[in-house]
Amino acid sequence: MKKAVYWLMGEKAGRVAVGTWNWLWGMPVETGGKVAVEVAEQSLRSMQESVQKLAHAVSTQVAAYERAKQKYEAKTQELQNFEQQAAIAQQNGNEEGARLAMTKVLQIEQLLPQLEEQVKQAEQFVNASKDKLNRERMKLEQYKTDMQNMKDISEINEALSAMAKVNSDLSIDSARSQFEQAKSAVDRRNLRTKAYAELSENPAEKLSADLETMAIDDAVSQRLQMLNNSSPKELPE
């Protein structure tokens, strides 16, 4: 199924779609990769759309509540007007007019409790909806902050992955190990060469040469001393 989605939508869009589908069904999204960030962004956009729809529904509900409230207030005012008409008609001796106005009053009085109850229920619904909208907006702002933090962490992870790849590609550890091995090899060769030179020299020949050098030095010193002793002395004047 995954290959079919990639073929239909392209690899990038397909990976996002598959990741979103997995996320909706509670299955793990790609561990900390770019797809996870893209799925989170798509989910955030979906939440934003839902909050916008909720705000529109709340505004519609508020408008309906305001109309019900206005209707109730209008009926209350109408009741007062008919009561005044009945009183005036009765004062003027207009019995029929008074009875007609009072009939209207009774009809409105029967209707007002229903309207009042509707207004109270509508007010409760509106307040509950407003509270829900405010909570969802606060959650959405928190998700926006989390989204930005997620992007920052993802960038850091990408940078760390790039560093690891560079270290792997350059084989720094391997090169360092090879350098140390080469240095040790050169040092060992130097020690072997010095040891070989010391061992290859004949001790007897070295001693004889040293004695001969000392004898020559003594002879030179004696001849120089004799030369000093044989120097002509100055005659007295």
Side-chain angles (χ1 to χ4, degrees):
M1 178 180 176
K2 185 185 297 185
K3 293 182 179 179
V5 174
Y6 288 176
W7 180 77
L8 290 172
M9 304 180 64
E11 182 176 358
K12 183 176 180 180
R15 286 167 66 87
V16 175
V18 171
T20 304
W21 180 264
N22 292 341
W23 174 74
L24 289 174
W25 284 96
M27 290 184 287
V29 187
E30 179 184 334
T31 306
K34 292 183 178 179
V35 172
V37 176
E38 293 173 352
V39 169
E41 287 182 329
Q42 185 173 352
S43 301
L44 182 60
R45 286 192 295 269
S46 178
M47 284 187 285
Q48 288 176 325
E49 293 175 359
S50 298
V51 171
Q52 290 175 355
K53 292 178 180 178
L54 179 60
H56 179 71
V58 171
S59 63
T60 302
Q61 194 175 33
V62 170
Y65 163 72
E66 292 296 335
R67 287 194 301 270
K69 185 178 179 181
Q70 290 174 2
K71 185 177 180 181
Y72 173 77
E73 293 174 350
K75 284 297 180 181
T76 301
Q77 184 63 44
E78 189 177 355
L79 175 65
Q80 294 175 358
N81 293 337
F82 281 123
E83 286 178 342
Q84 291 177 358
Q85 290 178 13
I88 293 172
Q90 190 174 20
Q91 289 176 0
N92 294 333
N94 186 358
E95 186 68 21
E96 185 178 355
R99 292 180 66 83
L100 179 60
M102 188 55 66
T103 301
K104 295 291 185 180
V105 169
L106 294 175
Q107 291 176 347
I108 295 175
E109 284 180 346
Q110 292 178 354
L111 180 62
L112 278 180
Q114 298 178 5
L115 293 178
E116 184 179 7
E117 184 63 25
Q118 290 178 356
V119 170
K120 288 181 179 180
Q121 290 182 354
E123 184 178 9
Q124 292 176 355
F125 292 153
V126 166
N127 291 335
S129 298
K130 285 182 177 179
D131 291 340
K132 179 176 178 58
L133 178 60
N134 290 333
R135 289 195 303 270
E136 293 300 327
R137 283 174 171 171
M138 292 178 62
K139 290 180 182 178
L140 182 60
E141 290 302 320
Q142 181 62 43
Y143 284 131
K144 288 181 180 179
T145 302
D146 293 342
M147 183 72 252
Q148 187 58 51
N149 293 338
M150 192 184 305
K151 287 183 178 180
D152 295 338
I153 293 175
S154 179
E155 290 180 2
I156 293 174
N157 290 337
E158 291 296 326
L160 292 176
S161 298
M163 290 174 59
K165 187 175 185 302
V166 169
N167 290 336
S168 176
D169 291 343
L170 294 180
S171 300
I172 293 178
D173 293 337
S174 177
R176 185 183 295 113
S177 177
Q178 291 178 358
F179 178 85
E180 294 295 337
Q181 291 177 2
K183 181 175 180 297
S184 297
V186 172
D187 292 340
R188 289 196 300 271
R189 182 178 178 83
N190 182 45
L191 293 175
R192 288 197 302 269
T193 302
K194 291 174 63 177
Y196 178 76
E198 292 175 357
L199 293 174
S200 62
E201 187 175 4
N202 191 331
E205 292 181 357
K206 185 176 185 301
L207 178 61
S208 177
D210 291 341
L211 292 175
E212 184 177 352
T213 300
M214 292 174 61
I216 293 174
D217 289 340
D218 290 340
V220 171
S221 297
Q222 291 176 3
R223 294 295 297 270
L224 289 175
Q225 185 64 34
M226 291 174 60
L227 183 61
N228 289 332
N229 293 332
S230 64
S231 295
K233 299 181 178 180
E234 295 183 358
L235 296 178
E237 296 180 356

